Amino acid sequence: MTEANNTSADYLVALGKVQRFPRKEIELCIVRNFLSPDECSKLVALIDDQRRPSTIADPNGDDYFRTSETCDLDHEDGFVAEIDAKICAFANIDKKFGEPLQGQRYAVGQEFKAHTDFFDPAGQDFPKYCSISGQRTWTFMLYLNEPDAGGATRFTEFKKSFTPETGTLLCWNNRNKDGSVNNWTLHHGMKVRRGTKYVITKWYREKPWPWNG
């Protein structure tokens, strides 16, 4: 296992069955069938059982900026721990650098407008969210199902959309090679038009996460 900032798209592609999106401005990869349909169904049930309204770090005056629901998955649950370990092993990132797994649920009309996963260094809450574990480095997001319409993840800087596919992993580096934040990672969780969309997300940090906190 490596520190979070030592993982790269080149490393992931070398594993096989990993596609890298061909843009030099961003390290962005996709892996199909990373989770089985059964694993996805179990995670959907957990999200439905424990969901709450989603929030954002820095309020921006838009009450409809993020309208999804969130589930903080229990990292002491054996099944959740197995999924977490599977992602960490694939990423080659030690668990200590990762935040606990989080689930998201999007009903019809719900979305997460264009945003980045890294915290704005100039944001009012930057010290609150980054003083202990540092900035977010990599994002690993997994689609758990396929809504009937809508719900794509659109990277707005280069106008590329990814349609949800059950079990598919989408991952990207939130930073540039020099460690600065990468604005090319700006992405929009687009509105679901029909059905419901479920995902789980694993974020990694520059420094260890306070797992025993």
Side-chain angles (χ1 to χ4, degrees), residues 163-180:
T163 301
E165 297 178 0
T166 303
T168 290
L169 166 68
L170 196 63
C171 60
W172 61 89
N173 188 351
N174 292 293
R175 303 188 302 170
N176 297 302
K177 290 183 178 180
D178 64 1
S180 62

Side-chain angles (χ1 to χ4, degrees), residues 99 119-121 123-136 205-210:
E99 298 180 31
F119 295 96
D120 181 358
Q124 64 184 42
D125 285 338
F126 182 79
K128 173 182 177 181
Y129 291 104
C130 296
S131 61
I132 295 176
S133 298
Q135 185 62 272
R136 280 178 174 161
R205 297 292 190 116
E206 295 172 310
K207 295 179 287 187
W209 183 262

